[in-house]
Amino acid sequence: MASVRIIRPAAALSLALALPAGADTFSLDGFVGIEARNFLTFDGEPRQIYSLTGEIRSGGALTDSLSYDLRLYGRTNLDGLDGSYIDPTIAKLTWQRGNWQIDAGYDLVFWGVAEGRNVVNVINQRDQIRDQFFDQGLGQRMIAVRYFAPSVTVEAFVLPGFEELDFGATGRTWGLGLPVDDSRSTFEASDGADHTDFALRLSGGVGNLEYGIFAFDGTLRQPEFQVDTATNTLIPNYVQGEQIGAEAQYTTGPLLYKFEGVKVWPDSDSTYWSAILGVEYIIGDIIGIPSETSLFAEYYHDSRRDDPSVAFENDIFLGTQFRLSNTFDTEIELGVIIDTDDGDFIGSFNVSSRISDNLRASFEYIYADASDQSDGLFNSRDIDQLFVSLEWYF
């Protein structure tokens, strides 16, 4: 069996796990599950990967102004491949008084309004072992100070270090054309992954408009890659930089207009910007069935048009999400990202539903097709896969 990599300092886990004993009131729940992923086309990939997964969640009040929150996720592969780890996604203390709140520990922060991808979600590293489309985040060490005014929230973040992307077994290509050796990752900062980053954010709402603007200084979460010709592998390199960004969502009836934009100044590379324009339309019950259906259309643009490592530089996302309001909490998602230059695309179909009070099953199919070698999607053409999971909640 693969060795389990604990990707956070154990002291924080010990503190978080000890907190419930002193809490006035606390909750405890979670799940255990089994996953199977079958790669359908690419000979370099392991054709099947089987994993055991689990998560423990707890939270409660310690005093009138102090509380704790814990969300501990872990997985181990059953076939000896790398990719096993434990992640304290959330393990924090929260102090609240009046309009002020301070969080200290590991936390998960989400920014963004778009559905297919997000360019402003820059605080947490992505968990690509768990989710092929980077929807899941890894816990981030932080001290976050927030001030809540009637119509605006001001947030300041101190981020002492971050987690590198985990590329699992070196047999995986992750749509990059070559396997990645993340054991040899390099950093532009002299203190490596322990570099302290900073961020500020202002968010609020005016009428039907919700918005957020931020500034970030530190280690950019998405690495650049250097080719090692001797081993024919890619070596991640994490660079320093500054970025500013904004998000906005305007709601009018069942129609939502969305925007995300970010401009990045890497210390050792050219400035670039990325933006998303989108719309969501929400439909209520269909033919008398209690449900909610959302239709999505988004356009992605990145100024690095000539960089083949940038996958979504001039693309369109089309998708739908169907939620059935029944005892099974059924959700169906269908989405596709299409390159407007040459028609290359990557899409997914996902179904998730409860099959009993405590059991939930999920199925996902991912398919990609690309023929233009200069397109960032070209190396994803052979990652077609089927994914099935079964989770028992307690």
Side-chain angles (χ1 to χ4, degrees), residues 42 85 121 149 202 222 275 294 371:
F42 184 61
Y85 61 90
N121 194 25
L202 181 72
Q222 183 62 40
S294 296
S371 57

Side-chain angles (χ1 to χ4, degrees), residues 356-368:
S356 73
D357 289 342
N358 300 99
L359 282 177
R360 188 170 192 87
S362 298
F363 167 85
E364 183 178 44
Y365 173 56
I366 299 174
Y367 178 79

